[in-house]
Amino acid sequence: MKQSGVARTLTVSANAVRVLMEFAVSRGASTWALAERSGIDLVTLQNNDNRVPFASYVALMRAGQDLCKDPALALHFGEHVDPSELTFTSQLGGPELTMDQCIALMNHYSALTVEVDSDGDRLGLERRGGQMWIIDRRKNPNDFPELTESMFARVASTGRRMFAAKSFVREIHVTHSAPSYSAEYDRIFKAPVFFDSNKNAIVMPDDGFMIRRPPPASREALERLSVHAESMLQDLEDSKSTRARVESLLTPVLKSGEVNMETIARKLSVSRQTLFRKLKAEGVTFEEVLDELRHKLALDYIKDKRRPLKEISYLLGFSDPAAFSRAFKRWTGTSPRSRR
């Protein structure tokens, strides 16, 4: 997806990333090995509303497959993890929903969990000959078929639990080729699976059934959740600013020292002058974005008393702890040691 000439950095909610990491750990992976291989800072995952680059989520899934020795990890993740564990928005909507209403809600809030590259709504609903086709319209799905696997397995497994129906799914269509673990598709979906299809789709009977869920604790609680979800959507929309994209690219490379404007402009596929102009239009300079990002991250890192100050200095890209200490005192008026 392109926006104003600058590539949009897709993100995943910190909560969804943490749930995947915990699932991989439950199947034998090490938390620290997963974090190191994916480049994910565990401090970021402490706040559910934080965002993690989509590329890091992909790296986490691939690291989990390797460390768990389970190439079908995405299928198993979808099979065993309920939607309510990934996002609170699964609670929104009335106690009874038609499939059309359910798809509309999923489209409205899906970006809060995982942003994808698609034209318009991610999910489409088509009716043909007494069947419903739920179609995933994301672009280039075969770059990360695991996202298709986990979503389809979650829909099938959740639906089977809700309706106690073994034949909840009639067919599965996926655009990727059959993997070595295709037997797991048969076990989980209990329906014909068509690999190398021209679309990613779940086919279900169009029986006019309603999706029934337990009522929320209170109408007030539901309203608070809805307000919070809409606020998060607005924040996500606001994050499409050039400044936010620069921050998302700076965060994983701070410790490498590659924090110059030319490097970030190249990652955004624009010239240094174009990036300078876009940041100026938003009232900031590259140096200010870098300095304020380091300030914000420093305040997060220093809360973790297990992290030595020398390590924090390195993570933020300072040449030595003394340079970090001087910057911290400029930001806060006190030293890192005193603040801790």
Side-chain angles (χ1 to χ4, degrees):
M1 182 185 300
K2 296 281 186 181
Q3 183 166 338
S4 304
V6 180
R8 172 80 170 100
T9 302
L10 301 175
T11 61
V12 181
S13 76
N15 180 63
V17 173
R18 191 187 67 255
V19 171
L20 172 58
M21 184 174 286
E22 290 172 349
F23 181 75
V25 169
S26 74
R27 298 178 79 88
S30 157
T31 300
W32 300 109
L34 289 167
E36 182 178 8
R37 290 205 192 184
S38 62
I40 294 171
D41 191 328
L42 296 176
V43 173
T44 302
L45 305 186
Q46 293 176 4
N47 184 338
N48 286 349
D49 293 348
N50 283 340
R51 308 292 299 182
V52 173
F54 184 84
S56 298
Y57 184 75
V58 173
L60 175 63
M61 180 67 79
R62 302 276 163 82
Q65 291 167 342
D66 184 35
L67 293 168
C68 297
K69 296 180 174 55
D70 180 10
L73 183 70
L75 281 176
H76 299 147
F77 179 53
E79 178 185 16
H80 295 290
V81 176
D82 192 81
S84 62
E85 296 183 49
L86 295 173
T87 174
F88 69 88
T89 59
S90 63
Q91 303 172 48
L92 299 177
E96 278 197 342
L97 296 175
T98 64
M99 183 56 70
D100 300 78
Q101 292 171 326
C102 183
I103 295 297
L105 274 174
M106 291 172 70
N107 278 325
H108 185 62
Y109 291 118
S110 64
L112 291 182
T113 307
V114 180
E115 286 188 287
V116 300
D117 196 358
S118 63
D119 292 325
D121 289 338
R122 176 181 174 181
L123 298 178
L125 180 61
E126 297 180 7
R127 288 181 164 84
R128 310 176 190 172
Q131 294 182 327
M132 290 188 299
W133 288 62
I134 301 176
I135 302 170
D136 187 352
R137 296 169 173 166
R138 67 188 178 100
K139 296 180 181 178
N140 305 312
N142 292 358
D143 290 347
F144 187 46
E146 291 92 337
L147 192 61
T148 303
E149 291 181 328
S150 61
M151 186 186 79
F152 282 11
R154 184 165 294 111
V155 170
S157 299
T158 303
R160 195 174 297 122
R161 288 193 296 269
M162 290 176 64
F163 298 104
K166 294 182 179 180
S167 60
F168 179 73
V169 173
R170 292 280 177 83
E171 296 175 2
I172 294 290
H173 291 254
V174 291
T175 55
H176 55 271
S177 299
S180 61
Y181 49 87
S182 58
E184 283 298 271
Y185 277 77
D186 298 330
R187 182 186 67 80
I188 292 171
F189 293 112
K190 297 176 173 59
V193 179
F194 298 89
F195 295 100
D196 297 308
S197 179
N198 63 354
K199 60 175 65 65
N200 288 298
I202 300 180
V203 183
M204 300 187 300
D206 190 6
D207 294 339
F209 56 80
M210 302 288 288
I211 297 174
R212 295 178 174 84
R213 302 177 299 174
S218 68
R219 178 175 295 179
E220 292 76 15
L222 189 62
E223 288 176 353
R224 285 196 298 271
L225 285 177
S226 180
V227 169
H228 182 53
E230 294 301 326
S231 175
M232 290 176 67
L233 279 175
Q234 186 59 55
D235 289 343
L236 191 57
E237 183 65 26
D238 293 343
S239 76
K240 295 177 183 178
S241 68
T242 299
R243 174 177 184 154
R245 289 193 285 272
V246 168
E247 287 183 344
S248 71
L249 290 172
L250 278 173
T251 301
V253 300
L254 279 177
K255 61 184 178 183
S256 72
E258 297 180 17
V259 292
N260 58 73
M261 195 171 183
E262 288 78 7
T263 299
I264 300 303
R266 188 164 56 250
K267 288 179 180 290
L268 290 170
S269 302
V270 298
S271 68
R272 184 185 186 281
Q273 292 76 16
T274 297
L275 179 55
F276 173 84
R277 186 175 67 253
K278 288 180 176 296
L279 287 173
K280 184 178 180 181
E282 294 179 10
V284 293
T285 66
F286 179 82
E287 291 72 21
E288 288 170 341
V289 173
L290 173 59
D291 189 63
E292 291 174 21
L293 176 63
R294 280 173 161 164
H295 179 190
K296 178 173 65 177
L297 291 174
L299 294 177
D300 283 339
Y301 290 151
I302 210 161
K303 293 175 185 176
D304 184 355
K305 295 183 179 180
R306 296 170 298 179
R307 285 185 185 273
L309 295 179
K310 185 176 181 179
E311 180 186 348
I312 295 176
S313 171
Y314 163 72
L315 290 173
L316 295 176
F318 286 98
S319 56
D320 57 68
F324 166 56
S325 184
R326 288 193 295 271
F328 195 89
K329 193 165 187 178
R330 171 169 56 83
W331 294 326
T332 67
T334 187
S335 70
R337 196 173 301 278
S338 299
R339 180 60 175 260
R340 174 168 281 179

